[in-house]
Amino acid sequence: MYVAVKGGETAIAHSLDLLADRRRGARDLPELTLDQIDQQLSLAVDRVMTEGSCYDRTLAALAIKQARGDLFEAVFLLRAYRTTLPRFGHSLPIDTSRMVADRRISSTFKDVPGGQVLGPTFDYTHRLLDFSLMTGDERPTAPTAPVDTAQELPRVGDILEREGMLEPPPPADAGAPTQDITRDPLTFPAARAVRLQNLARGDEGFLLALGYSTQRGYGNNHPFVGEVRYGSVPVGFVPEELGFAIEIAEIDVTECDMVNQFAGSHDVPPQFTRGYGLAFGHSERKAMSMALVDRALRADELSEGVTSPAQDEEFVLAHSDSVEASGFVQHLKLPHYVDFQSELVVVRTLREEVEARRRRSTPVSAFGQAAE
Amino acid sequence: MPPSSSHSVAPPQRQRWLSVLAKAPSERLETLWQTLGVAPSYTLLRRPEIGLVMVQGRISGSGAPFAAGEMTVTRAAIRLDSGEVGIGYVGGRHPRQAELIATIDALGQRPEWQDAIEQQIVTPLEQEADARRTMRAAKAAATKVDFFTVAREGGA
């Protein structure tokens, strides 16, 4: 039960002032600029855009600054902002084979067309703290190599698909509008497109733990990274005034096509199946976790039996959103004075009843009381 | 919103310049526009408005579409006093750029301006975008793995 509680206005106002004061920190240090956050904390920006489900680097940087680096809070701020804007429509589906890729690796084929491009990755660092970053020295720019930007990057999945070894993805249902959980509430069972939208904005930590649980045997789906790619893709859009498509932006995305062993079922011969992950910016851990969970959630469709948390769509989809989860956990801090008073009354009454029953059934003796 | 009054420009042409202008950095577009040195009078049909477009992905990159997440977009529409209607769409929150694109789009529908816009704004922006793309791809290309096989003894 919620009851209006009056009072505390001054305390709240001063709390906000103190928050702003702490956000600024020591005044003898220069204040962070949004460009610095965008450029030098770019992976934080990517995560906030992904889970905030709104691609805008400047706004995500602002949210991070305002939230003092609390990325959950920043996601919440971005989600709140997006509710103030009108929707112009849907983009054309992005074509990731047209990506200008900063990174593209496959762990299934060594000699994949287009090659293994490592790009900027932590994978080959030794995770030793680099003390040279403690000073503001000039950093050298990265080396370059000759390149053909017109070349498309074929998908590893398409190669396996042609051999019939890999299931093709579900085809587009012509004429059917793409379902959208920001417009229509989530219901179960959820279509795969709906599950993917939910996972795309879901909390990275939650999906990482669920993905990890499948690897440890809770719904094992024998995954291989078909490929991971990260880079820039154009966004096509058909303005209502024009009736033909134009490109309105180039955005950075990370994509993971996970390939999973599948023994076959009554209707399907043994083949490889797939899970898919897509995230804004460079968000590899997120895209991979999403792909693992997407595949796990297909257990029912592939007649595998739903036995583990990661395969249970109601469990996964209802708890993936950090804004909802954080809101419900943190609302416990709000005044519950009246709820608690009523519970106190209930517990006191129960105790009195128990006490009274005990007195009735046990003859009171000096020994008995002393023994308690 | 009335459809564009001009039929003198083929859609592929408009499609090209609208795309190039939308993907250009705001300040750079502003500079090139100033260099063009024209100040047509126009009415705003749609004052610059910030909104959202739902970006769609495809399952496994090539299958059925799904809603991947939104992006901010700014749009505007103008009508030149001479009658041409121009529109501007740009990813991000860039009211000035959207209005500028709409103005250039309208002007581009007047044959006497097409060459100047093409040569002084669209082509340079396109070349600069290509250079940025090439630089980015060239840095990635330097991280491409060259596998080599160590020959085993006996040449097996």
Side-chain angles (χ1 to χ4, degrees):
Chain A
M1 181 165 81
Y2 301 96
V3 174
V5 180
K6 288 194 173 182
E9 290 91 342
T10 311
I12 289 172
H14 289 173
S15 164
L16 294 174
D17 292 341
L18 181 55
L19 175 65
D21 186 60
R22 288 290 164 85
R23 177 188 299 123
R24 178 59 183 87
R27 301 301 201 274
D28 55 341
L29 293 172
E31 188 170 334
L32 266 179
T33 67
L34 298 190
D35 285 341
Q36 286 173 338
I37 296 172
D38 174 10
Q39 292 295 303
Q40 297 175 38
L41 298 177
S42 57
L43 300 184
V45 169
D46 291 343
R47 181 169 180 184
V48 170
M49 293 194 304
T50 297
E51 295 176 26
S53 200
C54 182
Y55 196 102
D56 189 313
R57 299 199 69 84
T58 313
L59 287 181
L62 173 61
I64 290 167
K65 179 174 177 175
Q66 187 177 334
R68 304 173 63 198
D70 180 337
L71 300 188
F72 279 70
E73 187 69 20
V75 166
F76 196 164
L77 290 170
L78 200 54
R79 287 272 189 95
Y81 173 80
R82 71 156 284 281
T83 64
T84 65
L85 298 179
R87 171 75 73 81
F88 293 166
H90 281 66
S91 80
L92 299 176
I94 55 173
D95 180 0
T96 48
S97 66
R98 284 184 60 200
M99 178 184 285
V100 179
D102 284 311
R103 172 163 165 80
R104 190 289 202 98
I105 52 157
S106 168
S107 66
T108 49
F109 292 109
K110 178 167 73 79
D111 297 312
V112 60
Q116 308 269 358
V117 179
L118 303 182
T121 175
F122 296 121
D123 291 355
Y124 309 99
T125 65
H126 292 106
R127 266 71 184 213
L128 300 173
L129 280 174
D130 178 359
F131 291 98
S132 77
L133 293 174
M134 291 177 79
T135 61
D137 289 345
E138 279 293 300
R139 316 284 167 199
T141 55
T144 58
V147 69
D148 175 15
T149 50
Q151 196 184 25
E152 287 204 353
L153 214 46
R155 288 193 189 82
V156 172
D158 295 348
I159 302 164
L160 270 173
E161 213 181 295
R162 275 197 295 276
E163 291 177 28
M165 295 293 289
L166 181 68
E167 60 163 3
D173 183 1
T178 305
Q179 286 174 273
D180 183 351
I181 53 174
T182 67
R183 294 303 173 93
D184 302 304
L186 181 63
T187 53
F188 302 105
R192 185 149 175 224
V194 169
R195 299 200 300 250
L196 285 169
Q197 182 183 12
N198 176 288
L199 299 178
R201 54 202 258 133
D203 176 55
E204 179 172 318
F206 179 70
L207 298 186
L208 175 66
L210 283 174
Y212 180 43
S213 76
T214 68
Q215 290 180 282
R216 292 193 64 254
Y218 291 88
N220 195 354
N221 52 31
H222 307 279
F224 295 91
V225 170
E227 74 173 287
V228 166
R229 58 172 72 188
Y230 153 65
S232 162
V233 289
V235 178
F237 180 71
V238 181
E240 56 187 8
E241 308 92 325
L242 280 182
F244 56 81
I246 58 169
E247 289 175 359
I248 53 172
E250 273 166 342
I251 63 172
D252 289 350
V253 296
T254 306
E255 177 185 53
C256 173
D257 196 10
M258 197 72 85
V259 174
N260 308 267
Q261 193 192 97
F262 178 56
S265 67
H266 190 265
D267 312 308
V268 186
Q271 60 175 188
F272 290 98
T273 55
R274 306 158 97 162
Y276 186 65
L278 184 70
F280 287 152
H282 194 181
S283 308
E284 218 160 287
R285 192 189 301 111
K286 167 65 187 273
M288 291 177 70
S289 303
M290 176 175 168
L292 286 173
V293 177
D294 172 44
R295 174 60 185 80
L297 289 176
R298 299 180 59 205
D300 208 30
E301 169 200 346
L302 296 167
S303 315
E304 291 173 326
V306 176
T307 55
S308 302
Q311 297 169 319
D312 181 336
E313 75 167 7
E314 235 177 293
F315 179 80
V316 173
L317 303 184
H319 299 118
S320 63
D321 194 89
S322 76
V323 176
E324 286 172 11
S326 168
F328 203 56
V329 167
Q330 295 210 68
H331 103 282
L332 294 173
K333 291 182 292 192
L334 296 174
H336 284 66
Y337 307 140
V338 175
D339 304 56
F340 192 68
Q341 280 305 318
S342 72
E343 300 229 345
L344 264 182
V345 170
V346 171
V347 173
R348 274 199 193 108
T349 311
L350 286 172
R351 285 174 67 97
E352 280 159 14
E353 281 173 17
V354 169
E355 195 65 22
R357 218 176 303 135
R358 190 180 302 161
R359 270 199 297 272
R360 275 199 303 276
S361 60
T362 320
V364 179
S365 74
F367 277 122
Q369 281 190 340
E372 276 182 21
Chain B
M1 175 65 48
S4 167
S5 56
S6 167
H7 298 282
S8 61
V9 184
Q13 248 181 303
R14 270 186 93 186
Q15 186 177 43
R16 172 165 165 273
W17 74 54
L18 284 171
S19 303
V20 170
L21 298 173
K23 293 185 289 181
S26 301
E27 315 76 50
R28 185 67 186 135
L29 177 60
E30 184 72 49
T31 307
L32 292 175
W33 170 250
Q34 297 301 337
T35 314
L36 192 67
V38 55
S41 45
Y42 59 81
T43 354
L44 275 172
L45 294 179
R46 174 181 267 148
R47 62 176 59 254
E49 176 189 23
I50 296 169
L52 295 166
V53 163
M54 176 56 84
V55 177
Q56 297 194 94
R58 287 190 182 281
I59 299 175
S60 296
S62 56
F66 69 96
E70 288 163 316
M71 64 181 289
T72 55
V73 173
T74 313
R75 66 179 174 187
I78 67 112
R79 181 190 288 124
L80 294 179
D81 287 357
S82 48
E84 292 82 2
V85 171
I87 68 146
Y89 275 78
V90 56
R93 291 157 311 110
H94 304 290
R96 169 67 186 157
Q97 186 171 3
E99 188 173 332
L100 207 48
I101 293 172
T103 311
I104 297 170
D105 179 45
L107 215 51
Q109 293 167 47
R110 297 180 53 168
E112 72 271 27
W113 279 103
Q114 275 174 12
D115 282 351
I117 288 172
E118 177 61 44
Q119 284 158 26
Q120 294 181 51
I121 298 181
V122 180
T123 305
L125 287 175
E126 200 169 39
Q127 285 167 352
E128 287 161 20
D130 280 346
R132 279 195 302 275
R133 193 176 302 120
T134 304
M135 174 50 77
R136 192 169 167 173
K139 285 184 178 178
T143 70
K144 194 160 164 177
V145 179
D146 278 327
F147 287 106
F148 54 88
T149 309
V150 179
R152 277 190 287 175
E153 217 172 322

